[in-house]
Amino acid sequence: MNLPTLNHWQSTALAILGVAVGLALHLRWHPLQRHWSDAWDFVRLRPALILWTAGAMLLASVTGEASPAYTFAQLTDWREVIVPLARDAAAHLVVLPHALIPPWPFACLVPLALMFLTVRIWRWPYRYGERKPGPEQKLALLAATLIGFGWLVLEVSSMKHMLPEGAESLKLGARYVFTALAAASMQVWVARFVIAWEKPQNTEADGDAVAALEHTFARWQSVAALAGFDLLWMSWRLWQLNTPSSIGGWFWIELLLIFAALPLAVAAVPGHFFHQGAVALRILFRALLPLLALAVTAFAFLILAHYASAMAHALSADSPLWHMIVLPLDALVLAMLDCWLLLAALLIMLRHGFPRSPSA
């Protein structure tokens, strides 16, 4: 008996259908099904977060360095692409708790945010802390604001003409610093946004984003310290990408995994940054098993997402029109997946990482 042979598109459609059914059944009986469902509700009710993340991804893909592309022939051989896809998915997964929204080029907005924060702290000093900020703290904010606008001048000038070597080095150094500050600020804001949804203090859901921004401003000193940590792992990643044969990538992954709860601790716990770091380690210890269960599923999702993204880019490589269509759709799908995965992880850490109150 001769079985009918399927063409490429029929076999692809059947494979997609099988994967979709398998993922649906997997999530239906997943031990963390409640957290997956709640995270999806958050994403569904707040589509602006997805659009913001997708826009940042699209800008980052246009203004940043192009990621390595796969040919269609490579993507049809799983044995050839599974290792690089798994490596890319692992890197994507560990960065997610620290930088959901790509910070560049949104880092250019940091000087404006610093100016806004400086003015408000000078006018209402008790609004963003239990104690009145000292003169040295106010001067530090003012200096950071002036440096930020000076950096923007260098960025604009470099678009018009080539800068001297010293000015170019100064521009790149400031770019790394303000990019790290943008990553820390946005991640603390996302964590505060989720906290406001998980533990609402008012009935106006539309004000959660503004309240999260106010709480982020109130923790500006811890956010600055978190930016120092982000600058460390970003620099480490840059060095590791320039030396692919080194083993630094494994230490980089372990560092980000160990401190996965650090942005949440900064957002949820007031106090000194080192105390927040200790709280982050306790959160990770208490929520370790659920986070591992989440990571296994998230890792599989990201491998499939990276494969689908690479396949879409490979199929549209010869058509500029289709490539322009694929770029925003790819960013939108990845943004939705990233938001869903990160929100599920934050809900797990909030629910398992903090001790329950006696009245709960």
Side-chain angles (χ1 to χ4, degrees):
M1 179 179 179
N2 295 327
L3 296 176
T5 57
L6 301 177
N7 60 34
H8 173 72
W9 297 108
Q10 290 173 333
S11 60
T12 301
L14 287 177
I16 294 174
L17 179 61
V19 169
V21 173
L23 290 178
L25 294 176
H26 175 75
L27 292 176
R28 177 63 180 84
W29 285 289
H30 199 283
L32 302 174
Q33 193 268 343
R34 173 182 170 234
H35 305 292
W36 287 114
S37 178
D38 290 346
W40 179 252
D41 288 340
F42 187 100
V43 170
R44 180 175 54 83
L45 295 174
R46 287 161 176 80
L49 180 61
I50 299 176
L51 295 177
W52 179 265
T53 305
M57 286 182 174
L58 193 58
L59 282 176
S61 66
V62 172
T63 60
E65 296 182 359
S67 57
Y70 298 95
T71 64
F72 181 77
Q74 289 176 318
L75 293 171
T76 55
D77 186 359
W78 268 96
R79 292 173 297 181
E80 183 176 350
V81 298
I82 186 60
V83 173
L85 283 175
R87 184 171 57 245
D88 294 343
H92 193 131
L93 181 62
V94 298
V95 169
L96 200 54
H98 303 279
L100 167 68
I101 303 173
W104 179 258
F106 281 109
C108 296
L109 300 177
V110 170
L112 295 175
L114 284 173
M115 181 183 69
F116 182 75
L117 176 63
T118 302
V119 170
R120 290 174 73 87
I121 284 183
W122 279 65
R123 292 188 63 182
W124 301 289
Y126 292 102
R127 185 168 185 171
Y128 298 112
E130 297 179 358
R131 294 188 236 175
K132 182 178 180 179
E136 67 281 356
Q137 294 176 331
K138 293 182 178 180
L139 290 176
L141 275 174
L142 182 60
T145 304
L146 295 176
I147 292 172
F149 281 103
W151 163 63
L152 287 182
V153 171
L154 290 178
E155 290 284 354
V156 174
S157 300
S158 65
M159 297 178 183
K160 299 179 180 180
H161 54 80
M162 185 175 294
L163 297 176
E165 184 177 354
E168 183 69 20
S169 300
L170 186 63
K171 182 199 77 172
L172 292 178
R175 179 187 293 182
Y176 283 124
V177 172
F178 285 101
T179 299
L181 190 57
S185 302
M186 289 188 289
Q187 207 67 353
V188 172
W189 175 80
V190 170
R192 285 302 318 181
F193 198 14
V194 176
I195 291 172
W197 182 77
E198 174 72 3
K199 301 177 181 178
Q201 298 180 353
N202 55 65
T203 57
E204 298 180 1
D206 295 337
D208 287 348
V210 177
L213 184 62
E214 287 289 323
H215 282 287
T216 304
F217 281 155
R219 288 164 169 79
W220 64 272
Q221 297 180 60
S222 295
V223 170
L226 180 62
F229 173 81
D230 289 346
L231 184 63
L232 172 65
W233 70 258
M234 287 179 179
S235 303
W236 196 343
R237 179 60 170 171
L238 181 64
W239 169 78
Q240 189 268 329
L241 289 175
N242 292 329
T243 56
S245 59
S246 67
I247 61 173
W250 295 106
F251 294 107
W252 174 78
I253 288 176
E254 291 179 1
L255 176 71
L256 293 188
L257 287 176
I258 291 173
F259 292 98
L262 187 56
L264 176 63
V266 171
V269 180
H272 198 270
F273 182 70
F274 289 103
H275 169 66
Q276 293 167 337
V279 172
L281 293 178
R282 287 198 295 268
I283 293 173
L284 187 67
F285 178 76
R286 290 168 179 158
L288 182 59
L289 292 180
L291 286 176
L292 287 177
L294 174 73
V296 172
T297 300
F299 184 61
F301 280 1
L302 288 174
I303 289 179
L304 293 173
H306 279 266
Y307 180 78
S309 175
M311 180 63 76
H313 284 281
L315 292 175
S316 63
D318 298 330
S319 173
L321 177 61
W322 279 106
H323 189 66
M324 291 179 60
I325 296 175
V326 164
L327 277 178
L329 288 178
D330 181 39
L332 186 63
V333 172
L334 286 178
M336 185 181 302
L337 179 61
D338 283 355
C339 290
W340 185 36
L341 295 177
L342 177 63
L343 294 174
L346 289 176
L347 289 176
I348 288 172
M349 288 188 281
L350 279 172
R351 294 168 178 175
H352 295 267
F354 291 91
R356 293 180 179 270
S357 61
S359 58

